[in-house]
Amino acid sequence: MAGLAVRVAGLTLRHPVMNASGILGSHPEGVKLLVDAGVSAVVTKSFTVEPREGYPTPIAVPLPYGLLNAVGLSNPGIDGISVVVEEARRAGLPVVVSIAGSSEDEFSRLASAAEEAGADAIEVNLSCPHAKGMGREIGIEPRLVYSVVSATASVTRIPVIAKLGYVDRLVEAVGKALEAGARAVTLINTLPAMMIDVYAMKPVLGNLVGGLSGPAIHPVAVRAIYEVYREYRIDIIGAGGVEDWRTAAELVLAGARAVQVGTALVTRGLRVIGEIVQGLERYMEEVGVESIEELVGAAHRD
C-alpha cells in the first residue's frame, strides 16, 4: 500500500480514503466502526458549542441517485470532542475534527477545544445546507469565509481545512480561505434540495429542506475540484458521490489528494472503504504509476 500513501494538509495518510463528516463520527462506537472499515483518517461529525438534538424525523430519504438528508447537525456539543478524538488516536489514526458555528467566537472556542483534545487537524464546516445561521450561509460569502477561517486559524497551530459547498463564487471563497490561513479545502458538501410527497402534498423531510448527496452530485464535485485546483494548485480533499475506485480516481485526477466517502457508507456498507482502496491499487497498476501522487491533477496536463 506504500504507493497509495499521501500527504494532505500536513497529514500523512497510508492511503487517500477517509470518511466524510457526519458519518459515524460523533461517538466512540462509530469511530470504532470507521477504524475497522479501514479509513486512513477519522473525520468527526461537526461539533457545535452547545449540544444539538437535530431535526424531527424523517431526517433521511434514500433516492435512486443518492440520499436526501437533514439531520440538523445533531452532536453532543463541545464537551464531546475529547472522547471521540481519544478513540481515534487510540487506533493510531489521524483525526480531523469538524466544527460548525454561527459566530467567529464559537469557531474559535471549538478549534481550541479540538487542539487541546489532541486533534491532528480541524475541518471548518462552511457549507451545511440546512442549518440556519451556520454552514452554507457563511460559505456563500467570501468575506465571511475569510473572517471565520482567520478566527479559527489564529487560535490553533494544527492545520485548518475549509469545507465548502458548490456556490457561485467558489473560487473566490477558496482564495479567501487560503488568505486566512487554511492549509487545504474539502470540496464539496451536499447541495440544498427538497422532495415532496405527491399524495401527502407536503415535503418529506421533517426540516422540509435538506442536502442532496451521492452519485447525483458527483459531476458537480469533479467540476468544483477541477476549477479550484486549476486556479491554486493547493491541497484538496474531494467529496461528493465517491462510490467506488473510479469515482475516487476522478476526483484525484481533477486535483484531489485525498477523498471522503459519505453516502456510500450508508448505501453500500462499511466494506466500501476497502473496495475503493483495492480498486485504486489495481488502477495504478493498469496505468503504470508507482505512487498515487503522480495522478493528482493529471487531468490538467497537456
Side-chain angles (χ1 to χ4, degrees), residues 114-283:
E115 182 175 30
E116 184 177 344
D120 295 284
I122 295 164
E123 186 177 78
V124 184
N125 187 346
L126 301 171
S127 47
C128 180
H130 52 72
K132 186 175 181 180
M134 298 182 178
R136 192 171 187 273
E137 294 179 16
I138 299 172
I140 61 175
E141 174 50 62
R143 176 182 56 82
L144 294 178
V145 170
Y146 180 89
S147 297
V148 168
V149 174
S150 178
T152 305
S154 67
V155 298
T156 180
R157 292 168 295 179
I158 59 178
V160 172
I161 304 164
K163 184 173 184 177
L164 294 159
Y166 193 82
V167 295
D168 290 340
R169 300 164 68 187
L170 176 61
V171 173
E172 182 183 352
V174 169
K176 288 299 182 183
L178 297 174
E179 287 180 27
R183 294 277 298 276
V185 294
T186 298
L187 304 174
I188 58 176
N189 208 330
T190 58
L191 301 179
M194 175 185 279
M195 181 179 182
I196 293 175
D197 185 318
V198 297
Y199 291 104
M201 299 184 186
K202 63 180 182 179
V204 173
L205 290 174
N207 187 58
L208 308 184
V209 175
L212 177 63
S213 63
I217 73 167
H218 181 69
V220 182
V222 173
R223 177 189 173 188
I225 292 165
Y226 188 91
E227 290 180 344
V228 169
Y229 185 82
R230 179 176 59 190
E231 183 71 20
Y232 300 113
R233 293 296 199 272
I234 57 169
D235 285 8
I236 299 172
I237 300 171
V242 177
E243 295 268 311
D244 50 26
W245 71 265
R246 187 181 298 272
T247 45
E250 270 192 275
L251 298 191
V252 171
L253 295 171
R257 300 186 66 82
V259 299
Q260 294 180 350
V261 182
T263 297
L265 284 169
V266 177
T267 59
R268 297 189 56 195
L270 296 172
R271 70 181 187 280
V272 71
I273 300 294
E275 292 174 357
I276 293 172
V277 172
Q278 292 169 13
L280 287 173
E281 284 186 302
R282 291 192 297 269
Y283 171 62

